[in-house]
Amino acid sequence: MKKLISLLLAAAILAGISVIALAVEPAEAAFEAAKTYFEKADGKNMLSLEKVLEIAEEGDSLILDIRSAEDYAKGHLKGAVNIPFVKVVEFLDQLPREQRVVVACYSGQTAGQIVGSLRLAGFNAYSLSGGMGAATEETPLETEIHEFVPVEKARLNETEAALLEAARTAMTIPEGNNVIKPADLNEHLADYFVLDVRGAETFAKGHIEGAVNVPYLEMGAYIDQLPRDKAIAIVCNSGQQSSQTAAVLIASGFKALNVQSGMNNGWNKANLPIVSDQPAPPEKPAEPAPVQPEHQPAPAQPQAKTYIVKSGDCLWNIARDQLGSGARWNEIYQLNRDIIRNPERISVGQELDMPA
């Protein structure tokens, strides 16, 4: 029997299969890796066209053009190889781990999905910011076709193998490419948990009603509070950071979609409604209240509203249910700073003061 088991293990290794990797659930491995993914982001994992042109000249990186073969043939970055977006998953275990990989698409959004998946799986990947749409007539492009040369499959430990499978899940693109159009989101807004990964100041100037703001670089600390029973629509300025975020969440077992073209060229361009957290202009001072006679008791002050934390609660859903908007979770946190040390960790039975 021992000899038979040894033979089976040897056959599995020769076939490139890691038997031990089956002990690690891919989505769970991705979920744990996602907690540190965002804080390790190098320039949000995007490179400018100027920087990518320098890299192309150096010739020591893999430049992966994921546009259609026809558009690639019309002109691409020096030395770039072409693997269309939906086929990249077929080459996942043939990409280099010891070499920088720069992914170029049309606008940077689909490249963001690929980069999010690759980096989670341990690849040194970046996307071309703005995609090939950032190129101008002066940008040096070439039309020579370069064949992709696969590398030898790496030997992976159980966690690395699980992360590779999680990346494969995120890169197995369904119909719709994990994207939602702004008009469709607006029409069915109640069906989605809207996650805005822009900076807090930008978010405050105008955002989708009910959206929860968690800046991109802070996402790792918030991921365990995201809902798994509702689709998550992720939005940023251009759709590039949100597409990366969507890929990481999909690999981690969430149902996530990228809001196409972000707030700037998507939601706002379609003239869809936004709300603002900016303070309203000061109103005309009210007339002073009449002085109460001394013998009359002063009006009773309204009793402060409180809330007892229940099982499964987090600050955003308390804010949504009690205050009408999940975006007001930070008000609850600020009001209870003396008892909430970490906004991601609230205890069942805690009595929280609620804002007016």
Side-chain angles (χ1 to χ4, degrees):
M1 178 61 74
K2 290 183 178 179
K3 184 176 181 180
L4 176 60
I5 293 173
S6 298
L7 288 172
L8 290 173
L9 289 171
I13 292 170
L14 288 173
I17 301 171
S18 174
V19 177
I20 299 176
L22 298 177
V24 179
E25 172 63 35
E28 291 180 6
F31 180 75
E32 290 304 315
K35 294 178 180 179
T36 56
Y37 173 95
F38 299 93
E39 65 186 42
K40 293 178 180 178
D42 181 4
K44 297 179 181 176
N45 304 323
M46 297 188 292
L47 299 173
S48 67
L49 176 62
E50 181 181 10
K51 179 62 178 176
V52 174
L53 290 174
E54 291 178 12
I55 290 171
E57 284 295 328
E58 293 167 359
D60 59 355
S61 300
L62 172 64
I63 299 180
L64 185 59
D65 192 318
I66 62 173
R67 297 176 299 159
S68 70
E70 293 77 13
D71 288 330
Y72 167 81
K74 291 175 184 176
H76 50 262
L77 297 169
K78 182 178 180 180
V81 301
N82 177 233
I83 303 177
F85 175 52
V86 296
K87 292 185 176 294
V88 177
V89 66
E90 299 174 17
F91 297 84
L92 182 56
D93 55 3
Q94 301 176 44
L95 296 174
R97 286 179 171 269
E98 305 301 326
Q99 189 179 20
R100 178 171 47 193
V101 179
V102 179
V103 186
C105 66
Y106 294 97
S107 67
Q109 294 181 77
T110 49
Q113 288 194 50
I114 298 297
V115 166
S117 303
L118 291 179
R119 290 191 75 90
L120 195 67
F123 292 87
N124 184 24
Y126 298 84
S127 63
L128 169 60
S129 181
M132 292 300 291
T136 66
E137 293 182 357
E138 288 73 37
T139 302
L141 301 178
E142 64 174 20
T143 56
E144 180 182 354
I145 304 298
H146 300 279
E147 296 295 329
F148 171 67
V149 180
V151 300
E152 184 178 351
K153 294 181 181 180
R155 294 183 64 108
L156 306 176
N157 62 36
E158 59 181 37
T159 299
E160 292 169 337
L163 289 173
L164 191 70
E165 286 308 305
R168 197 183 303 279
T169 297
M171 291 166 62
T172 303
I173 307 300
E175 183 179 356
N177 296 347
N178 296 321
V179 169
I180 184 169
K181 295 179 179 179
D184 292 338
L185 174 60
N186 183 56
E187 186 176 351
H188 303 284
L189 197 56
D191 297 335
Y192 293 89
F193 177 89
V194 182
L195 178 63
D196 192 317
V197 297
R198 298 176 298 162
E201 291 185 6
T202 305
F203 174 83
K205 292 177 182 177
H207 55 266
I208 300 169
E209 185 173 7
V212 172
N213 178 225
V214 182
Y216 173 86
L217 294 176
E218 300 173 19
M219 266 300 304
Y222 187 81
I223 190 171
D224 58 357
Q225 294 190 45
L226 294 176
R228 290 188 178 272
D229 59 350
K230 199 171 189 179
I232 303 172
I234 310 169
V235 67
C236 65
N237 284 316
S238 65
Q240 296 180 81
Q241 294 171 41
S242 54
S243 61
Q244 253 192 78
T245 306
V248 173
L249 293 186
I250 292 168
S252 302
F254 294 90
K255 182 179 180 182
L257 298 169
N258 176 43
V259 179
Q260 190 174 50
S261 300
M263 289 297 292
N264 292 345
N265 294 320
W267 192 273
N268 292 338
K269 196 170 183 178
N271 294 316
L272 295 172
I274 61 172
V275 294
S276 171
D277 292 343
Q278 298 296 306
E283 298 180 0
K284 180 181 178 181
E287 294 292 331
V291 177
Q292 297 283 349
E294 290 185 6
H295 64 277
Q296 294 185 4
Q301 296 297 317
Q303 187 174 2
K305 184 179 179 182
T306 60
Y307 178 82
I308 306 298
V309 177
K310 302 174 184 176
S311 177
D313 275 344
C314 64
L315 290 182
W316 75 262
N317 66 23
I318 295 174
R320 179 194 62 193
D321 297 340
Q322 302 298 316
L323 305 180
S325 171
R328 297 185 65 186
W329 68 270
N330 194 45
E331 295 178 37
I332 303 175
Y333 173 54
Q334 295 298 332
L335 195 60
N336 295 274
R337 288 290 293 269
D338 56 330
I339 62 171
I340 302 178
R341 296 183 179 179
N342 185 338
E344 300 168 18
R345 297 285 186 272
I346 55 175
S347 302
V348 173
Q350 275 187 318
E351 184 175 301
L352 303 180
D353 292 329
M354 303 298 289

